[in-house]
Amino acid sequence: MKLSRQFTLFGSAIFCVVVFSLYLMLDHLQLDRTKNPSSGSSFPGQLTILQEKIDHLERLLAENNEIISNIRDSVLDLSESVKDSKGSPEVGNQSRVGYPELLASPPLVIPIQQEDCHFAAKPYNKPADGVQMLDVYDLLSFDNPDGGVWKQGFDISYNENEWDTEPLQVFVVPHSHNDPGWLKTFDDYYRDQTQHILNNMVVKLHEDERRRMLWSEISYFSKWWDSIDSQKRDAVKSLIERGQLEIATGGWVMPDEANTHYFAMIDQLLEGHQWLERNVGVKPKTGWAVDPFGHSPTMTYLLKQAGMSNMLIQRVHYSVKKHFAIQKTLEFFWRQTWDQDTTTDILCHMMPFYSYDVPHTCGPDPKICCQFDFKRLPGGRISCPWRVPPQTINDGNVKERALMLLDQYRKKSKLFRTHVVLAPLGDDFRYNEASEWDQQFQNYQKLFDYMNSHPELHVKAQFGTISDYFSALRPAAAVDPVSNTSPLLPVVSGDFFTYADRDDHYWSGYFTSRPFYKRLDRVLESHLRAAEILFSLALASVQKANKWNDFPSLENYKLLTEARRNLGLFQHHDAITGTGKDWVVVDYGTRLFHSILNVKRVMANSAHWLVLKDKGAYIHSSSMPLLQMVTRNPFLPLSLVIYNPTEQDRWSVVTVYVNTPRVRLQTASGHAVTAQVSAVWEETTRASREAFQVGKGLSLQKSLCLYSCIDLQTNYHFIVMRFILQRVKYKEGGVEHKVEVGFVWYGTTSNRDKSGAYLFLPDGEAKAYTPNHAPVIRVTKGVVFSEVTTTYQHVTHTLRLYNVQGIEGQSVEISNTVDIRGEFNREIAMRITSDLNSSDRFFTDLNGFQIQPRRTMAKLPLQANFYPMTTMAYIQESGVRLTLLTAQSLGVSSLKSGQLEVIMDRRLMQDDNRGLGQGVQDNKITANLFRLLLEKRSETFKPEWSYPSLLSHITSMYLNHPVIPMVVSPNYDSLTFAPLSPLRAALPCDVHLVNLRTIQAKEGAGPSHEVALILHRRGFDCEFSNRNMGLLCSTTQGKLPMGKLFSELSVQSVTPASLSLMHTLDGGRSQEEIQLKPMEIRTYRVQLR
Ligand SMILES: [Zn+2]
């Protein structure tokens, strides 16, 4: 059957060229290419080698009995519909027309300037007064002795006269912690509690100017703001101006810091700050994070870059808190490990006790402090579990009560180096009733009045905001306002994972809980970013063509805004963590899914404008759009637009679904492109007769590239065999490294406290996964990719090798579809076992931004050795590194030398007593996507610091930002299209375009003419070979010619700004060159036209 219809493909890569390749063993093929760079002639030989390797794999499969699994992306068809790869050898008898054009050989060695290598060669910062968290872990015994009234601490004593010369200064900071979803959905909490808290706040703060309140979640604040009249808004503004109400952090939510990617952390901060600037005109100065389950220095960096100078954290391992309390280092300058000077320092207060509730904030004794939570007065709904209730303060008891409270304040102050004490006063959803405001504020005021009127007590106590506290602390700690250093306070580097609040209760379960949604989050992130960039480009182009009124800019901007907010909401520490109630999880999931569909519309609408050759022919039709996203529904061959959302030129394999195996792909100019037709599997052993996948390697050197597909007479065959794959071997540089992939089960302990949404409490070491039935193995061989799929009862595991030159050919794609819905208290993990001698050391990323060295410690329980993995984890021995790159956040560990282990799903039948009140039983069929990369380093490693290679960074980017194909509607056959390259050239290898985000107009809900250009210069290790790796870029010491960044659009103005646009920075309105420091993330306010 011949189809005459032209199949036009446009690669609408924003910035781009993609290269993709797909085969398993890296060694010989690479060597062959090196010897013979003219790719065309070397392919037959390579094919043979590939064939041999696949055959070898099959033999291994047949021989062995273990577990491996596969790809069947059931989450959404999203990750599956696009597989990055590079075009490669021909199929059957097809001609090779157009081949050189698509397979132009990349340079063998990319030129990296020597200056760009200095940064990663330097060790992590270790100042004389500095503390590295990994060293602290070495010191601690984690013995957990009973500390008395302060159970996890120690007895505190003091002399009465210690404050005679310098009085104690106490700031009681009223706060209300409002989770945007947890036991109730965001909307239900708002309706039942939050709106009342905020309404009462306006009234009650106005009653007495000495009262203070802290608020941090803008998602709630903005919803409330929309519902109040202008009179009330003015009242709120006056409270803020008078310093009675402080907005702390000002993000859309108080984000989780373990599972979140820095793209989304920044986006929710930007959304919150932009909202505040537009509506209230306030710039937060202090970070406030009382509830995230462990703390990441990435958040610290982002707060600092956003212009904040102080921050507070709470959930830190109890042994670490105790150690810091003994050392009096609970207040410190938190510095990035990689910072070579002091520019990332931010003043941080770590709360010393168990919780942020009132019993654990006034001082060390919760039985006493609870008596100063006046919501717990007798007759109320809540009481003190220590069975001594609060007393209403009156003339008769004020002296006794004031002295009792002062004793706690004094003891707390003994844990710090200054005479300034912070005592937060609040809890979850507090101050919702007017009576509670009266109870707390009136009783505390009487206590303060008593203390302050007795000079012999040497105390000044008052309500304060968190910034009031820091304003008093800074001079007390002799912090130099210019250099931001203090002779009293130490410097701390590192992170605060993995959190334990008591005993062996480590919160490493939530690194994986509800993995389906953790994957969905990243799918929305990559689509939102792609849509933001395309929309910003389209808008500038529309403006340039004076067609502002023709383009549906307002409609699309509203969709983007909603998506930003839905993504922001999901970064909340009970959302992406998987620690909400079942129906709350569904609410989040619905929002994510809805926004994925919407940002796809924005992408299609924007690409529509951008690919049109004749802009005069532009007509927007929402009922009959020009472009639609490729779905799993097979279609007749049509024209395609392909969008590469990365800032690099790239080769990629793009997969689309068609209804015939006889398809041929060609470029817009009529050159044939190599493609591979594969089966679509309806069941494990039954291939669809109606649907086929076409995978093709495309060069995306243009933003919008054109390809057409006709009548490809492909030889295709699918083999179904019964084999089991045991191991995969990699070779590099003549040395063979064994890498086995297998699966294991964890159960939960038989103790009373069992694993749940937060906690991981395994019943000892993992047990091998032993399936009841022999697995079904499918082997697909092809010219573009080959894969082995093993289907077990609980997991379908696919190893895919891209047989193409370049980046994607350097790693193996691993895809696991996990289904443990029928299990009882079990967790399934993928364990990669290699022969690398990595000892007890491994490395995990933090939020996709930086690398944290880890050490597996025998003195800690197994669950304490798990850490969050957002984008990668690796192990290494002298000269060799094995990296597991991931497309979703999961918990990871390296329990034995040479191993990497990822928990992929958990099904737990009970609550783990952290307030959720349920287990995790809403498991879904969940697809996890990884890449495994083996690299050779020219020198041995230093274990104390580490950076990924450029290849690793870019492989991660390919994994996280797949190419997006769109189908051209047949109704628009008469139109002509033009490819687009918005960037004049690919950005340097180490510079990542985090976002190009259109800023909202001052008035209304539509877009302005300005965009926020957010750039990140990655830190990378130069000592890895960059020979023939397919890198198509160079480095420039972080320099970028801003005025010449874009090809068709001109940069009208460039204004350096703080990360979230709150502050305009010095540096002028330069259109000339800018320069980023290694690791730096910078935001510029840019006008394009
Ligand atoms: Zn919370």
Side-chain angles (χ1 to χ4, degrees):
M1 179 175 80
K2 282 218 167 195
L3 294 166
S4 57
R5 175 164 306 208
Q6 289 275 324
F7 194 102
T8 310
L9 278 178
F10 301 78
S12 106
I14 275 292
F15 297 124
C16 70
V17 168
V18 175
V19 180
F20 186 121
S21 75
L22 131 80
Y23 56 92
L24 191 34
M25 285 133 242
L26 318 165
D27 51 348
H28 288 301
L29 285 174
Q30 279 312 314
L31 292 174
D32 287 347
R33 289 212 181 98
T34 314
K35 283 178 221 143
N36 188 0
S38 72
S39 50
S41 58
S42 68
F43 267 115
Q46 290 168 6
L47 242 195
T48 313
I49 293 166
L50 177 72
Q51 205 80 332
E52 284 167 8
K53 286 175 192 289
I54 294 290
D55 291 343
H56 177 61
L57 250 185
E58 286 171 10
R59 282 198 300 280
L60 284 173
L61 282 173
E63 284 161 10
N64 295 300
N65 207 350
E66 236 200 47
I67 304 150
I68 293 291
S69 54
N70 170 23
I71 267 180
R72 213 174 53 177
D73 198 331
S74 65
V75 175
L76 293 168
D77 43 79
L78 299 163
S79 66
E80 175 102 314
S81 64
V82 180
K83 296 292 179 206
D84 290 347
S85 163
K86 168 188 170 176
S88 57
E90 295 300 299
V91 178
N93 299 323
Q94 208 185 309
S95 83
R96 285 199 179 164
V97 182
Y99 194 68
E101 176 190 320
L102 288 173
L103 286 181
S105 291
L108 292 180
V109 180
I110 57 159
I112 301 289
Q113 299 189 15
Q114 213 35 52
E115 291 87 339
D116 286 325
C117 298
H118 295 336
F119 176 75
K122 285 186 215 154
Y124 282 167
N125 191 303
K126 210 166 187 177
D129 57 345
V131 177
Q132 274 282 357
M133 281 309 299
L134 205 54
D135 299 339
V136 173
Y137 264 67
D138 270 347
L139 284 174
L140 300 183
S141 57
F142 297 97
D143 51 355
N144 195 19
D146 190 336
V149 293
W150 177 19
K151 223 171 164 358
Q152 295 167 328
F154 45 85
D155 277 337
I156 305 170
S157 56
Y158 59 86
N159 296 322
E160 291 281 339
N161 57 3
E162 280 188 47
W163 294 275
D164 285 2
T165 50
E166 221 179 354
L168 192 67
Q169 202 177 354
V170 182
F171 289 92
V172 171
V173 176
H175 68 101
S176 180
H177 179 69
N178 281 239
D179 291 307
W182 181 38
L183 307 179
K184 295 181 186 177
T185 62
F186 172 74
D187 287 332
D188 287 354
Y189 269 138
Y190 176 78
R191 187 196 60 221
D192 299 345
Q193 278 123 307
T194 306
Q195 62 166 329
H196 306 302
I197 297 169
L198 290 165
N199 285 329
N200 284 322
M201 176 187 77
V202 182
V203 178
K204 291 296 171 183
L205 288 185
H206 272 104
E207 284 180 6
D208 187 338
E209 285 202 359
R210 293 171 295 182
R211 295 179 178 180
R212 297 285 183 273
M213 187 65 184
L214 178 150
W215 194 266
S216 64
E217 296 83 7
I218 301 307
S219 46
Y220 278 130
F221 198 83
S222 63
K223 187 177 171 73
W224 173 67
W225 189 265
D226 289 345
S227 77
I228 60 175
D229 58 26
S230 61
Q231 203 184 349
K232 211 166 184 174
R233 288 179 183 177
D234 289 343
V236 174
K237 285 180 185 169
S238 73
L239 287 172
I240 289 174
E241 276 162 25
R242 287 207 299 270
Q244 282 189 265
L245 170 63
E246 176 175 22
I247 306 285
T249 313
W252 201 245
V253 297
M254 183 186 293
D256 169 47
E257 299 179 24
N259 302 291
T260 44
H261 190 279
Y262 76 95
F263 169 83
M265 295 167 91
I266 294 172
D267 212 62
Q268 65 85 28
L269 195 62
L270 236 167
E271 191 60 21
H273 285 180
Q274 285 279 279
W275 186 90
L276 281 172
E277 183 181 317
R278 222 170 29 247
N279 294 282
V280 194
V282 62
K283 300 178 197 298
K285 290 183 286 193
T286 301
W288 173 263
V290 289
D291 203 21
F293 323 143
H295 293 282
S296 164
T298 305
M299 191 67 206
T300 310
Y301 179 73
L302 300 182
L303 293 177
K304 175 79 180 183
Q305 290 297 95
M308 276 172 256
S309 32
N310 316 303
M311 63 182 290
L312 172 143
I313 58 174
Q314 147 61 18
R315 289 197 187 269
V316 170
H317 193 299
Y318 60 88
S319 293
V320 175
K321 283 192 172 199
K322 183 178 171 180
H323 173 77
F324 274 50
I326 291 168
Q327 307 285 323
K328 293 195 182 187
T329 53
L330 289 160
E331 283 174 335
F332 52 87
F333 284 98
W334 195 348
R335 181 177 300 172
Q336 299 301 312
T337 47
W338 41 266
D339 187 5
Q340 307 287 352
D341 46 47
T342 63
T343 51
T344 64
D345 289 13
I346 182 167
L347 181 55
C348 181
H349 172 100
M350 183 194 294
M351 290 170 64
F353 308 120
Y354 174 76
S355 165
Y356 56 84
D357 62 11
V358 185
H360 298 92
T361 46
C362 91
D365 190 344
K367 186 176 172 180
I368 303 289
C369 289
C370 195
Q371 298 172 48
F372 294 90
D373 183 358
F374 296 99
K375 191 187 168 84
R376 302 186 201 232
L377 279 164
R381 254 176 275 169
I382 55 167
S383 58
C384 282
W386 295 269
R387 298 192 180 166
V388 185
Q391 299 172 15
T392 302
I393 305 301
N394 54 45
D395 291 346
N397 67 6
V398 67
K399 180 181 180 187
E400 176 245 340
R401 307 309 288 180
L403 292 178
M404 192 190 236
L405 182 59
L406 179 58
D407 176 61
Q408 290 297 308
Y409 290 157
R410 285 174 169 179
K411 283 176 173 160
K412 186 171 186 180
S413 91
K414 293 294 289 177
L415 307 178
F416 296 88
R417 295 186 182 184
T418 75
H419 60 281
V420 190
V421 175
L422 172 67
L425 180 71
D427 205 338
D428 293 358
F429 296 97
R430 281 301 189 90
Y431 302 98
N432 60 328
E433 291 167 341
S435 59
E436 186 186 354
W437 288 83
D438 295 337
Q439 286 163 345
Q440 304 286 30
F441 282 96
Q442 288 170 5
N443 284 303
Y444 266 93
Q445 194 59 55
K446 285 178 193 160
L447 291 163
F448 296 162
D449 290 346
Y450 180 86
M451 291 182 201
N452 297 342
S453 61
H454 286 77
E456 74 280 9
L457 296 178
H458 300 288
V459 60
K460 184 173 189 297
Q462 61 194 304
F463 295 115
T465 65
I466 187 66
S467 289
D468 290 339
Y469 170 74
F470 278 106
S471 298
L473 173 68
R474 282 180 167 265
V479 177
D480 184 319
V482 177
S483 68
N484 199 36
T485 56
S486 157
L488 282 183
L489 305 179
V491 172
V492 172
S493 292
D495 71 337
F496 297 102
F497 291 116
T498 290
Y499 173 59
D501 56 351
R502 55 181 187 250
D503 306 320
D504 61 347
H505 293 190
Y506 284 82
W507 295 41
S508 46
Y510 84 94
F511 299 156
T512 296
S513 294
R514 267 81 172 242
F516 177 90
Y517 298 92
K518 286 178 162 72
R519 173 89 191 105
L520 203 59
D521 166 77
R522 295 284 278 276
V523 172
L524 177 55
E525 281 182 42
S526 74
H527 279 73
L528 175 60
R529 176 182 171 278
E532 293 273 14
I533 293 169
L534 218 52
F535 177 77
S536 295
L537 293 170
L539 207 61
S541 169
V542 162
Q543 207 184 328
K544 193 176 176 179
N546 285 321
K547 291 273 190 178
W548 186 268
N549 294 329
D550 296 357
F551 187 72
S553 55
L554 178 63
E555 175 195 325
N556 282 281
Y557 195 75
K558 281 180 175 169
L559 295 178
L560 280 178
T561 303
E562 189 193 45
R564 293 166 179 175
R565 294 178 175 186
N566 283 338
L567 180 70
L569 192 70
F570 195 68
Q571 307 311 306
H572 162 51
H573 57 264
D574 289 307
I576 193 170
T577 51
T579 55
K581 289 275 195 194
D582 286 352
W583 59 89
V584 178
V585 171
V586 169
D587 180 58
Y588 289 131
T590 308
R591 289 167 185 268
L592 295 177
F593 187 70
H594 179 72
S595 282
I596 289 169
L597 298 181
N598 282 341
V599 297
K600 284 179 165 189
R601 269 175 62 196
V602 175
M603 259 188 273
N605 287 337
S606 305
H608 177 176
W609 169 269
L610 292 167
V611 297
L612 274 188
K613 196 164 189 177
D614 173 16
K615 306 291 190 210
Y618 175 80
I619 301 164
H620 170 68
S621 164
S622 50
S623 58
M624 204 171 62
L626 172 76
L627 298 169
Q628 283 178 344
M629 288 291 157
V630 167
T631 66
R632 291 188 85 130
N633 297 327
F635 56 88
L636 282 167
L638 294 168
S639 303
L640 290 182
V641 169
I642 294 174
Y643 169 34
N644 165 21
T646 61
E647 60 277 351
Q648 304 295 334
D649 293 346
R650 152 178 186 177
W651 279 97
S652 253
V653 167
V654 178
T655 303
V656 293
Y657 293 81
V658 293
N659 61 0
T660 168
R662 294 183 178 82
V663 182
R664 191 170 72 200
L665 177 72
Q666 68 181 42
T667 64
S669 52
H671 294 312
V673 177
T674 303
Q676 171 177 336
V677 177
S678 313
V680 171
W681 296 92
E682 290 178 341
E683 290 168 23
T684 306
T685 54
R686 191 163 62 85
S688 167
R689 292 184 181 280
E690 286 82 42
F692 304 87
Q693 310 175 51
V694 182
K696 49 207 168 289
L698 298 180
S699 162
L700 298 170
Q701 284 161 323
K702 298 275 199 291
S703 299
L704 299 170
C705 311
L706 313 178
Y707 294 95
S708 67
C709 203
I710 41 167
D711 188 31
L712 181 86
Q713 289 165 11
T714 281
N715 297 326
Y716 68 99
H717 62 286
F718 314 114
I719 308 162
V720 178
M721 291 175 286
R722 290 184 181 276
F723 293 116
I724 299 155
L725 179 64
Q726 186 172 44
R727 42 187 198 165
V728 183
K729 288 184 181 177
Y730 298 81
K731 292 177 193 171
E732 190 175 273
V735 183
E736 189 173 287
H737 289 285
K738 187 192 82 178
V739 180
E740 284 181 13
V741 183
F743 296 94
V744 292
W745 283 121
Y746 285 100
T748 189
T749 170
S750 54
N751 298 341
R752 198 172 53 92
D753 292 306
K754 292 183 167 53
S755 299
Y758 304 88
L759 304 184
F760 180 32
L761 288 164
D763 58 345
E765 291 185 10
K767 290 159 194 71
Y769 178 88
T770 44
N772 295 331
H773 309 287
V776 176
I777 311 277
R778 268 191 338 243
V779 178
T780 303
K781 294 188 203 179
V783 290
V784 177
F785 66 84
S786 294
E787 66 184 20
V788 181
T789 297
T790 312
T791 303
Y792 289 97
Q793 186 187 348
H794 300 98
V795 59
T796 302
H797 171 79
T798 298
L799 290 175
R800 182 184 274 204
L801 307 172
Y802 290 97
N803 182 29
V804 288
Q805 219 172 6
I807 302 281
E808 312 241 28
Q810 311 297 328
S811 55
V812 182
E813 186 178 275
I814 301 175
S815 172
N816 297 325
T817 302
V818 178
D819 182 2
I820 57 167
R821 289 175 297 177
E823 296 305 303
F824 183 90
N825 269 336
R826 281 181 127 183
E827 312 195 21
I828 191 164
M830 175 171 73
R831 181 180 281 173
I832 295 165
T833 307
S834 75
D835 56 5
L836 267 64
N837 179 19
S838 58
S839 182
D840 57 355
R841 290 181 184 269
F842 65 115
F843 301 81
T844 62
D845 77 302
L846 288 166
N847 318 95
F849 175 64
Q850 57 187 324
I851 297 297
Q852 178 64 46
R854 306 287 183 197
R855 193 174 303 151
T856 304
M857 294 189 178
K859 66 184 172 187
L860 293 174
L862 185 149
Q863 62 269 26
N865 288 303
F866 274 82
Y867 291 94
M869 169 178 67
T870 307
T871 56
M872 68 175 76
Y874 52 81
I875 51 175
Q876 56 195 24
E877 67 173 29
S878 62
V880 181
R881 178 182 290 175
L882 180 67
T883 307
L884 181 69
L885 299 138
T886 178
Q888 58 284 311
S889 293
L890 295 167
V892 71
S893 188
S894 173
L895 296 172
K896 295 209 169 87
S897 177
Q899 277 187 2
L900 274 175
E901 185 172 311
V902 189
I903 309 283
M904 295 193 301
D905 199 6
R906 25 197 345 251
R907 185 171 176 83
L908 302 157
M909 317 315 282
Q910 62 282 313
D911 184 42
D912 51 5
N913 302 314
R914 294 304 184 279
L916 178 58
Q918 63 156 77
V920 181
Q921 297 181 48
D922 57 350
N923 305 69
K924 306 253 173 300
I925 299 173
T926 299
N928 291 319
L929 194 60
F930 307 95
R931 274 175 180 268
L932 201 54
L933 179 65
L934 190 73
E935 294 176 284
K936 199 175 145 191
R937 195 177 189 269
S938 51
E939 288 178 31
T940 56
F941 294 101
K942 303 280 191 303
E944 297 83 16
W945 76 96
S946 188
Y947 296 89
S949 65
L950 278 177
L951 176 65
S952 183
H953 277 309
I954 293 179
T955 304
S956 177
M957 189 165 69
Y958 279 25
L959 187 59
N960 281 281
H961 301 288
V963 169
I964 298 161
M966 292 172 250
V967 187
V968 180
S969 161
N971 301 313
Y972 293 91
D973 258 2
S974 57
L975 293 177
T976 52
F977 306 113
L980 177 76
S981 299
L983 282 186
R984 192 165 292 194
L987 295 189
C989 290
D990 55 344
V991 176
H992 174 51
L993 178 79
V994 180
N995 210 342
L996 188 69
R997 188 187 201 262
T998 299
I999 297 169
Q1000 188 172 332
K1002 289 240 168 9
E1003 303 294 329
S1008 72
H1009 298 311
E1010 282 189 316
V1011 294
L1013 172 67
I1014 309 176
L1015 296 168
H1016 172 207
R1017 185 176 173 202
R1018 295 178 167 118
F1020 68 96
D1021 185 337
C1022 280
E1023 300 301 324
F1024 289 91
S1025 167
N1026 59 26
R1027 197 171 171 74
N1028 209 32
M1029 292 297 174
L1031 292 168
L1032 298 170
C1033 47
S1034 182
T1035 62
T1036 58
Q1037 296 170 59
K1039 289 178 194 152
L1040 279 176
M1042 285 298 263
K1044 295 174 189 153
L1045 208 53
F1046 299 93
S1047 57
E1048 287 172 25
L1049 297 167
S1050 67
V1051 175
Q1052 305 277 303
S1053 72
V1054 181
T1055 313
S1058 60
L1059 181 67
S1060 59
L1061 301 168
M1062 267 197 319
H1063 307 278
T1064 298
L1065 303 181
D1066 294 341
R1069 297 174 165 267
S1070 165
Q1071 293 181 27
E1072 298 308 311
E1073 191 172 82
I1074 58 155
Q1075 185 167 19
L1076 298 171
K1077 291 191 284 187
M1079 293 300 289
E1080 192 175 28
I1081 302 177
R1082 288 291 301 271
T1083 301
Y1084 300 88
R1085 202 183 268 270
V1086 175
Q1087 270 193 319
L1088 294 174
R1089 191 154 177 120

